[in-house]
């Protein structure tokens, strides 16, 4: 077992039996479930919308080599600049180069999973660039020195009491401050950052090919402020986020909002098509879009599994997953946690290091059921397991065990070779620690079904 896999198992065991963690997560996801059920009921034909979104995403992946240059051409026509980055290191170098050319010292960021993916904050801090997260949830976990816990709700694992204690320690607010008071304090602290930051950095929910624009969706207005005050705006976006036309937002924005938070639409939806034009009164003087690969083309090359790139980062599969709800987001040790992280991370960051994530599933299929773009997630988990076996990444004892199991299952005589007493002894010997530590082991009957059936037939029993 690799180090990451071993840590995953160890942390999972602790989190699954942490009552405070379970209470907070169950409470927060319970509120999400209620809101989403209400939001989904407003779709006239939800299944048809999901099928249409799936088809559009399929066409995108089949034509990525045409749509990305189309976006680049249209964006550059408005004065924007496009940079292609093969990996995290290249993306970070390009961002640092832009900052250094502008003699900038401070950066304000809106919520972006891609910047988490490339560890941008740590990179900039190592180069003496001050970086502040402007999304409230991201700001909270930044103050704690943690990674986001959830794709949509970074601080889902914290109660209001936890956040009140944090603000009391950092800023001297009352220990019993209400969520409203804490929000006002955060607003007071962050407003100055918007007006003084040299660079604004965002992600992008969608790249619109036919207009050369990026679409941002949010609930706090921090992305708009991040892209309005600083003189330079840098948007870093995964290459899979492109959609063909502006009209496609009519489908994807409601699907993202409803599956993400239960809203019909998020509060702020912004389309940015380049730097400030001569007739415009606000916006950046320069705008860059960095198109990030970072392993995405590895997944694109897998014909059976490229569906993972259809993801619009709504977080629905995390909230539906019984494993995620027990062990939480930090346990995965990846940027993208939960079911979607389990299927894309092995291809983007290495099958050898992250194959264990594809086994962290009950295969109940709930993730596939709730996905707004109909990614067959639980099938992708099985395909990842298949690939791990083909690449010889399973341990010797594991491979030997499965061969023995296959031999026994393929031949009835082998299954009946040992009686129930021996089979129970084998279970207790080999599975007590790994499987039975927190579960009751099954009790095998003294005789197999075939022998019991043969006995009944011999006695003339017809029941």
């Amino acid at each position: 077992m690799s180090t990451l896999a071993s840590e995953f198992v160890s942390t999972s065991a602790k989190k699954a039996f942490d009552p405070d963690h379970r209470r907070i997560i169950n409470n927060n996801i319970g509120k999400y479930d209620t809101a989403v059920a209400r939001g989904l009921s407003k779709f006239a034909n939800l299944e048809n919308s999901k099928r249409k979104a799936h088809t559009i995403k399929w066409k995108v992946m089949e034509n990525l080599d045409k749509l990305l240059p189309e976006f680049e051409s249209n964006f550059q026509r408005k004065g924007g600049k496009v940079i292609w980055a093969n990996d995290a290191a290249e993306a970070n170098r390009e961002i640092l180069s832009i900052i250094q050319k502008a003699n900038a010292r401070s950066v304000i960021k809106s919520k972006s999973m891609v910047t988490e993916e490339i560890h941008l904050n740590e990179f900039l801090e190592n180069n003496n660039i001050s970086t502040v997260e402007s999304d409230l949830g991201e700001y909270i976990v930044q103050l704690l020195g943690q990674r986001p816990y959830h794709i949509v709700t970074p601080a889902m694992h914290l109660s209001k009491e936890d956040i009140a204690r944090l603000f009391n320690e950092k800023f001297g607010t009352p220990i019993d401050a209400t969520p409203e008071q804490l929000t006002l304090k955060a607003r007071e602290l962050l407003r100055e950052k918007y007006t003084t930051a040299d660079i604004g950095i965002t992600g992008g929910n969608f790249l619109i090919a036919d207009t050369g624009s990026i679409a941002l969706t949010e609930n706090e207005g921090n992305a708009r402020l991040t892209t309005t005050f600083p003189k330079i705006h840098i948007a870093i976006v995964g290459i899979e986020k492109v959609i063909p036309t502006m009209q496609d937002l009519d489908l994807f924005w409601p699907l993202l909002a409803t599956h993400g938070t239960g809203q019909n639409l998020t509060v702020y939806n912004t389309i940015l098509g380049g730097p400030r034009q001569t007739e415009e009164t606000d916006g950046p003087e320069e705008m860059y879009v960095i198109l990030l690969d970072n392993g995405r083309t590895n997944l694109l090359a897998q014909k059976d599994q490229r569906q993972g790139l259809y993801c619009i980062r709504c977080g629905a599969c995390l909230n539906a997953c019984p494993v995620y709800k027990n062990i939480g987001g930090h346990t995965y040790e990846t940027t993208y946690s939960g079911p979607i992280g389990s299927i894309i991370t092995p291809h983007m960051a290495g099958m050898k290091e992250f194959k264990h994530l594809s086994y962290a599933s009950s295969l109940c299929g709930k993730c596939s059921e709730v996905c707004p773009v109909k990614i067959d997630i639980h099938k992708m988990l099985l395909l990842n397991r298949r690939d791990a076996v083909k690449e010889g990444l399973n341990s010797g004892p594991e491979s030997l065990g499965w061969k023995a199991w296959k031999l026994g299952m393929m031949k009835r005589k082998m299954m009946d070779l040992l009686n129930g007493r021996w089979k129970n002894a084998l279970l207790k010997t080999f599975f007590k620690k790994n499987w039975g530590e927190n579960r009751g082991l099954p009790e095998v009957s003294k005789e197999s079904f075939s022998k019991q059936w043969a006995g009944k037939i011999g006695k003339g029993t017809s029941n």
Side-chain angles (χ1 to χ4, degrees):
M1 186 182 292
S2 69
T3 302
L4 282 173
S6 178
E7 289 176 355
F8 178 84
V9 172
S10 174
T11 308
S12 296
K14 293 176 183 177
K15 282 294 181 183
F17 293 94
D18 181 343
D20 285 336
H21 175 260
R22 293 186 65 140
R23 174 181 56 80
I24 294 169
I25 298 309
N26 289 335
N27 176 63
N28 289 337
I29 290 182
K31 292 178 180 177
Y32 162 89
D33 289 340
T34 301
V36 169
R38 184 170 57 247
L40 293 179
S41 68
K42 297 181 181 179
F43 275 84
N45 191 328
L46 177 62
E47 190 62 22
N48 186 58
S49 296
K50 291 165 70 170
R51 281 198 298 267
K52 184 177 179 182
H54 180 92
T55 302
I56 292 172
K57 279 292 189 175
W58 171 79
K59 289 180 179 178
V60 165
M61 296 310 148
E62 295 297 315
N63 295 279
L64 206 55
D65 59 331
K66 301 180 182 66
L67 290 170
L68 288 171
E70 180 184 354
F71 165 82
E72 179 182 32
S73 175
N74 289 328
F75 183 70
Q76 288 177 333
R77 192 174 294 118
K78 301 172 186 176
K81 299 171 185 177
V82 174
I83 298 170
W84 297 72
N86 289 312
D87 54 31
E90 188 173 347
N92 283 329
R93 285 197 305 270
E94 292 290 350
I95 292 171
L96 181 61
S97 175
I98 295 168
I99 293 172
Q100 289 176 337
K101 286 179 182 176
N103 292 318
R105 303 308 310 166
S106 60
V107 168
I108 186 81
K109 283 178 71 266
S110 72
K111 184 177 180 300
S112 165
M113 292 307 295
V114 175
T115 58
E116 294 291 339
E117 178 186 336
I118 66 173
H119 306 293
L120 179 61
N121 285 3
E122 296 92 323
F123 175 80
L124 292 180
E125 286 171 12
N126 290 337
N127 285 276
N128 301 314
I129 306 295
S130 172
T131 306
V132 177
E133 295 285 352
S134 61
D135 174 86
L136 181 55
E138 291 275 1
Y139 183 57
I140 289 167
V141 295
Q142 185 183 31
L143 289 173
L144 287 168
Q146 297 179 356
R147 300 186 315 277
Y149 180 92
H150 188 280
I151 289 174
V152 175
T153 318
M156 179 186 275
H157 60 304
L158 301 172
S159 66
K160 62 179 183 293
E161 291 80 14
D162 294 329
I163 299 168
R165 280 193 295 271
L166 172 67
F167 274 52
N168 173 261
E169 292 170 9
K170 297 286 186 179
F171 311 118
T173 54
I175 192 68
D176 58 349
T178 65
E180 291 77 12
Q181 290 172 322
L182 297 172
T183 302
L184 288 172
K185 182 62 179 179
R187 180 181 294 175
E188 173 193 329
L189 295 165
L190 289 171
R191 282 298 163 111
E192 181 188 356
K193 304 293 184 182
Y194 293 118
T195 57
T196 59
D198 301 308
I199 306 281
I201 297 180
T202 71
N205 295 98
F206 302 101
L207 297 167
I208 308 167
D210 70 338
T211 61
S213 309
I214 67 166
L216 297 170
T217 182
E218 49 159 340
N219 275 315
E220 298 174 13
N222 54 76
R224 284 193 179 177
L225 293 170
T226 297
T227 60
T228 300
F229 286 108
K231 293 182 178 180
I232 299 174
H233 171 207
I234 303 171
I236 177 163
V237 190
I239 56 175
E240 82 281 11
K241 291 296 190 73
V242 67
I243 56 176
T245 70
M246 181 77 75
Q247 285 71 28
D248 295 320
L249 286 177
D250 185 51
L251 172 68
F252 283 105
W253 262 348
L255 281 174
L256 174 58
T258 307
H259 286 82
T261 58
Q263 298 167 276
N264 295 338
L265 280 177
T266 47
V267 178
Y268 298 96
N269 294 285
T270 308
I271 298 171
L272 301 169
R276 183 173 71 236
Q277 304 299 302
T278 54
E279 70 278 5
E280 294 175 336
T281 57
D282 58 26
E285 295 174 7
E286 297 179 64
M287 182 175 175
Y288 297 82
V289 171
I290 297 177
L291 299 175
L292 180 69
D293 182 344
N294 204 34
R296 286 162 174 78
T297 50
N298 295 336
L299 185 52
L300 184 65
Q302 306 296 320
K303 188 174 181 180
D304 293 337
Q305 286 132 289
R306 64 175 59 156
Q307 279 189 48
L309 294 172
Y310 296 7
C311 177
I312 59 174
R313 305 289 189 262
C314 68
C317 62
L318 281 66
N319 299 324
C321 178
V323 175
Y324 182 92
K325 287 191 280 189
N326 277 282
I327 67 174
H330 288 157
T331 305
Y332 290 80
E333 290 291 339
T334 60
T335 302
Y336 307 105
S337 55
I340 189 62
S342 296
I343 66 172
I344 67 175
T345 303
H347 297 279
M348 293 170 61
M351 183 66 73
K352 183 177 180 180
E353 294 79 7
F354 291 101
K355 77 178 183 70
H356 62 279
L357 297 182
S358 296
Y359 291 84
S361 169
S362 64
L363 295 178
C364 66
K366 188 67 176 177
C367 50
S368 300
E369 180 186 326
V370 300
C371 179
V373 291
K374 295 184 74 66
I375 302 172
D376 204 352
I377 297 176
H378 66 290
K379 180 182 177 182
M380 303 298 107
L381 293 167
L382 288 173
L383 292 174
N384 279 1
R385 298 181 190 185
R386 175 204 65 186
D387 290 349
V389 173
K390 283 185 175 180
E391 294 176 28
L393 299 176
N394 288 351
S395 65
E398 183 180 0
S399 299
L400 185 63
W402 281 114
K403 285 179 181 178
W405 179 84
K406 180 180 178 181
L407 181 65
M409 293 297 289
M410 294 291 287
K411 295 183 179 180
R412 171 61 61 183
K413 288 183 180 179
M414 293 296 294
M415 288 187 68
D416 292 344
L417 188 62
L418 299 176
N419 61 29
R421 184 170 63 85
W422 278 100
K423 289 175 182 176
N424 283 319
L426 289 171
L427 283 172
K428 290 176 182 177
T429 302
F430 294 105
F431 295 97
K432 179 64 177 174
K433 183 177 180 181
N434 291 333
W435 176 259
E437 187 176 4
N438 298 306
R439 310 174 183 85
L441 287 170
E443 186 74 20
V444 181
S445 299
K446 293 180 180 179
E447 291 185 326
S448 68
F449 174 79
S450 60
K451 285 190 175 182
Q452 292 181 49
W453 183 258
K456 287 190 175 185
I457 295 297
K459 294 176 182 179
T461 303
S462 59
N463 294 336

